Amino acid sequence: MRPREQAGSLCERIRAAGGEALLFPVIAVGPALDPAPLESLIERLDAFDLAFFVSPNAANYAMQFILPRRAWPATLKVSTVGKGSERVLRGYGFEHVIAPQDGFDSEAVIALPEFASEAVAGQRVLIFRGDGGRELLADTLRERGASVEYVTCYRRFCPDLDPALLLQPVARGEVDGLLLTSSEGVRNLRHMLGEEGLATLLPLTVFASHPRIVAQARAAGFDDVVETPAGDDGLMQALVNHFG
């Protein structure tokens, strides 16, 4: 139930393991509605010391906008969280990407030595993100003496999909579990299906890769919620363990 653009590899892995993958994205992404903030950065990039990308979408949309217009400054370090985002940045030619090897959230990032107070004090940090998100990283960096600027390079929105694409296979008994990969996605799922439609899903097992997503799923009414290790490897291992 992640954005369609990021779901392909996981669907392929599920099929390769002998399962069936039904794609029902509950988050859609697109370019930022207002490109002016990105435009204003083109000439100012050299003033920053570190650029952080919150997701693969942030990395892709930012780079696709910036690189045709100018070269990336040699002194501007890049950082992210998650293997997918790291792969995207390496695909744009960045050989050194600051990223946690364990953990896939802001807490893992701020625990890195490159984000310690003595490393970031006096540094100018640019955070590429969608429209909104957690403030923990920026707040912590400011507490540690860095100056932080956000730029919105893409937007997230609730897709306009026919609920029957999910509800009909569920009614036929063709769905055994749901993969929920963001708290926002859980909220969108409730909106897309309505309470009556959501009720038909509640007997299913939910697989969620973070405690926040687990909490959202349980708040939505799901009782059988499996918290998985972070990342696609963790999700796949949890599916194999559960379904054999």
Side-chain angles (χ1 to χ4, degrees), residues 9-89:
S9 62
L10 182 57
C11 289
E12 290 174 5
R13 292 184 65 175
I14 291 172
R15 295 178 185 123
E20 292 292 332
L22 172 65
L23 182 58
F24 188 81
V26 293
I27 296 178
V29 296
L33 293 177
D34 180 9
L38 269 174
E39 286 280 7
S40 73
L41 278 173
I42 297 299
E43 299 302 324
R44 297 193 296 118
L45 276 180
D46 302 271
F48 294 92
D49 302 291
L50 176 66
F52 183 84
F53 302 84
V54 303
S55 68
N57 287 316
N60 269 320
Y61 279 100
M63 292 302 173
Q64 289 169 9
F65 189 92
I66 293 169
L67 295 184
R69 293 166 170 81
R70 63 158 296 168
W72 190 261
T75 58
L76 181 53
K77 296 174 289 187
V78 298
S79 178
T80 192
V81 59
K83 298 298 183 184
S85 301
E86 190 174 351
R87 283 194 297 271
V88 169
L89 288 170

Side-chain angles (χ1 to χ4, degrees), residues 171-244:
R172 294 194 296 264
E174 298 172 358
V175 179
D176 299 299
L178 300 175
L179 296 182
L180 296 173
T181 57
S182 76
S183 301
E184 182 182 4
V186 180
R187 295 190 292 271
N188 286 355
L189 179 66
R190 298 182 71 167
H191 174 75
M192 295 167 74
L193 300 184
E195 294 304 319
E196 183 176 346
L198 183 69
T200 67
L201 270 61
L202 297 183
L204 298 175
T205 300
V206 168
F207 299 87
S209 58
H210 195 280
R212 290 195 304 275
I213 310 172
V214 171
Q216 283 284 341
R218 288 182 174 147
F222 292 99
D223 291 322
D224 187 9
V225 183
V226 177
E227 183 176 343
T228 76
D232 286 359
D233 289 343
L235 283 169
M236 287 302 303
Q237 189 59 56
L239 290 173
V240 170
N241 291 343
H242 187 84
F243 294 115

Side-chain angles (χ1 to χ4, degrees), residues 63-178:
M63 292 302 173
Q64 289 169 9
F65 189 92
I66 293 169
L67 295 184
R69 293 166 170 81
R70 63 158 296 168
W72 190 261
T75 58
L76 181 53
K77 296 174 289 187
V78 298
S79 178
T80 192
V81 59
K83 298 298 183 184
S85 301
E86 190 174 351
R87 283 194 297 271
V88 169
L89 288 170
R90 293 190 186 280
Y92 284 104
F94 295 99
E95 296 181 0
H96 180 61
V97 179
I98 301 168
Q101 299 308 301
D102 297 304
F104 296 84
D105 54 18
S106 297
E107 288 82 355
V109 174
I110 59 180
L112 291 170
E114 292 90 344
F115 285 80
S117 296
E118 58 271 21
V120 299
Q123 298 285 290
R124 296 194 64 187
V125 181
L126 179 61
I127 298 179
F128 291 93
R129 67 174 181 174
D131 40 2
R134 296 180 75 199
E135 303 290 336
L136 176 63
L137 177 60
D139 289 346
T140 303
L141 287 172
R142 290 177 179 130
E143 290 170 3
R144 294 177 179 179
S147 63
V148 180
E149 183 175 334
Y150 283 119
V151 61
T152 298
C153 57
Y154 73 101
R155 65 188 178 100
R156 300 183 304 272
F157 55 96
C158 188
D160 183 16
L161 290 181
D162 183 352
L165 295 173
L166 176 59
L167 295 179
Q168 289 180 358
V170 169
R172 294 194 296 264
E174 298 172 358
V175 179
D176 299 299
L178 300 175

